[in-house]
Amino acid sequence: MRWLDAATRAITPWGWALLATVAMGVVLARSLGWTEALVAAVAAAVLVLGAIPWIVGERWARARIGLSAERVPVGTEALALVEVSRPTRAATPRQVDLDIGDEEAVLEIPPLEVGGRVLRSVPLDTSRRGLRSIGPATIMRTDPFGVLERRHRLTETRTLVVHPRVVRLPGGAGGIVRDLDGEAAAERTADDVSFHSLREYAPGDDRRLVHWRSSARHGALLVRQFEPSRRADTLIVLSTDPAEYDGDDFELALSLVGTLGLAAMADRRALRVVESPRTERGPAQPVDSATRERLLDALAVLEPRSGHGIAQAARASRGAAAGSVAWLITGSTVPPRTLRTAANGMPAGVVSVVVRAAVGALPSRARLGDADVVTVGAIEDLSRGMGSAGGTR
């Protein structure tokens, strides 16, 4: 009975009063013989029936919604673009209503010729990250007496994604290649590009690795051995425990994750981003970081929702990035003891850098055991605090 529901919703309070007049007039005319009541009922019925053609039939207008950009950083200007056209000789509406989240924008439409069109723009709020629902665009069709009204949907809904703000970091900031930073790897390999030394030949060695000139001088076969070239795979661990953040610290933390993640991608490093586990013994929750857009889209809708902080998140992510660098992102309310526990929770050989998001704080860097602790008060401070954080190991 969808048609009945639609018909019921189209009747205004004035329309219900007229229908009541029709019913009462007929009853009074039949029971008491009142001619006046019958006249009133007929007049009310004429008004109701005369209102029907005003809300049915062909569309009075067509519309399309566009966005100046479907994805924008926080604080960047964004516009919703609404194009309204007149397809037929029917009168065009004077206004089009556009839903923007929980609000409604009213767009004034001038008189249009048949086939004419007009473009209207509406500024969108991008002061906070997240998803903004734009649309649908609708018009209200009603009769001159306000008996019936029908909201006609002209467009579908579009979505604006507001990303956290990120900054560009200098090359190499997304990960730490310790072999190139001065710390030689302890292990040796027989197949790589970084020559280390010569050793005596052992049964099973590849004869192609024999250094014949040195062997001739030494009087015994010597083979080349190399240092392994290791790629600085990047792991970013984000605490989503609201107890570890104050004010807008979490928003800054997301900007840090996005900035470090994009830096790793720019350096063509393997990247994995995880957040706090849902349960005490559960695994760290992955954040989609397959591409730049997918990472920023995921951060746009991420909220503090776990009861487990950075220490549990670091422990739950053990083994995710052996032989790489781990960025541990948390808020300003975490005590040093918890930060030390988080840094110590990473596997041996992983370079841990703890980054505290503390909006308004002066940028600083300190040592906490074997880990660097960088305090960032604004996203622009990150590159200044990165100069020594893990760069000299």
Side-chain angles (χ1 to χ4, degrees):
M1 304 294 286
R2 297 174 61 181
W3 66 270
L4 181 60
D5 179 65
T8 302
R9 287 187 286 107
I11 303 174
T12 65
W14 170 234
W16 285 112
L18 290 176
L19 290 176
T21 301
V22 172
M24 292 181 60
V26 171
V27 170
L28 292 175
R30 295 191 61 179
S31 60
L32 302 178
W34 287 3
T35 305
E36 295 83 354
L38 181 59
V39 172
V42 171
V46 169
L47 288 176
V48 172
L49 294 175
I52 294 176
W54 290 87
I55 66 169
V56 298
E58 296 293 328
R59 291 184 177 183
W60 290 6
R62 288 193 177 96
R64 293 188 302 171
I65 292 181
L67 299 175
S68 58
E70 293 187 350
R71 294 173 172 86
V72 297
V74 167
T76 303
E77 180 179 292
L79 298 174
L81 306 174
V82 182
E83 182 186 75
V84 181
S85 60
R86 181 184 180 185
T88 67
R89 293 185 176 275
T92 55
R94 296 183 178 180
Q95 68 181 42
V96 172
D97 301 322
L98 179 66
D99 291 338
I100 304 177
D102 296 330
E103 300 179 353
E104 185 178 79
V106 178
L107 309 179
E108 299 295 333
I109 305 300
L112 298 174
E113 300 292 335
V114 176
R117 60 191 62 204
V118 64
L119 183 66
R120 290 288 183 261
S121 63
V122 181
L124 303 175
D125 179 21
T126 61
S127 60
R128 303 287 290 184
R129 66 175 177 87
L131 304 181
R132 304 286 183 271
S133 178
I134 315 300
T138 61
I139 58 174
M140 181 64 74
R141 302 176 63 175
T142 186
D143 62 278
F145 299 101
V147 178
L148 303 176
E149 64 182 17
R150 174 191 172 197
R151 184 163 291 280
H152 188 75
R153 181 170 179 160
L154 299 178
T155 67
E156 299 300 322
T157 301
R158 299 289 298 273
T159 300
L160 173 71
V161 185
V162 183
H163 291 160
R165 196 165 69 90
V166 298
V167 298
R168 186 182 182 86
L169 293 181
I176 302 170
V177 182
R178 287 167 292 169
D179 298 327
L180 301 180
D181 286 337
E183 181 181 328
E187 63 269 24
R188 299 291 178 259
T189 180
D191 185 16
D192 214 297
V193 295
S194 180
F195 173 77
H196 180 263
S197 61
L198 296 173
R199 63 171 175 81
E200 291 189 359
Y201 176 84
D205 286 340
D206 189 345
R207 289 184 178 271
R208 291 175 298 179
L209 299 178
V210 173
H211 195 279
W212 296 105
R213 183 176 300 177
S214 298
S215 298
R217 290 198 302 264
H218 189 264
L221 289 179
L222 299 177
V223 295
R224 292 182 291 265
Q225 60 180 358
F226 304 86
E227 291 179 2
S229 299
R230 290 183 300 196
R231 189 176 180 84
D233 296 343
T234 300
L235 171 68
I236 301 177
V237 182
L238 172 67
S239 169
T240 50
D241 181 2
E244 295 189 349
Y245 296 94
D246 184 33
D248 284 335
D249 288 351
F250 187 72
E251 300 301 317
L252 176 57
L254 293 178
S255 293
L256 294 171
V257 173
T259 297
L260 292 169
L262 297 187
M265 293 180 185
D267 293 337
R268 297 186 177 180
R269 306 183 187 279
L271 172 66
R272 184 178 180 188
V273 182
V274 298
E275 58 169 302
S276 296
R278 298 286 187 270
T279 60
E280 183 175 357
R281 298 186 179 276
Q285 298 296 308
V287 177
D288 190 352
S289 57
T291 64
R292 171 191 173 94
E293 283 191 351
R294 287 167 66 174
L295 173 60
L296 294 178
D297 285 352
L299 296 179
V301 297
L302 194 60
E303 297 295 339
R305 55 196 173 190
S306 174
H308 305 285
I310 190 62
Q312 295 92 332
R315 184 173 63 248
S317 63
R318 284 183 63 90
S324 62
V325 59
W327 299 94
L328 309 180
I329 313 295
T330 186
S332 60
T333 64
V334 184
R337 180 177 179 180
T338 302
L339 297 179
R340 185 182 297 108
T341 301
N344 293 339
M346 302 308 298
V350 174
V351 178
S352 299
V353 183
V354 180
V355 184
R356 298 173 62 248
V359 174
L362 294 176
S364 63
R365 182 180 61 84
R367 292 289 294 174
L368 189 63
D370 293 332
D372 288 291
V373 177
V374 179
T375 298
V376 176
I379 188 59
E380 292 80 8
D381 297 334
L382 182 59
S383 59
R384 291 193 285 270
M386 300 251 322
S388 302
T392 54
R393 311 298 293 172

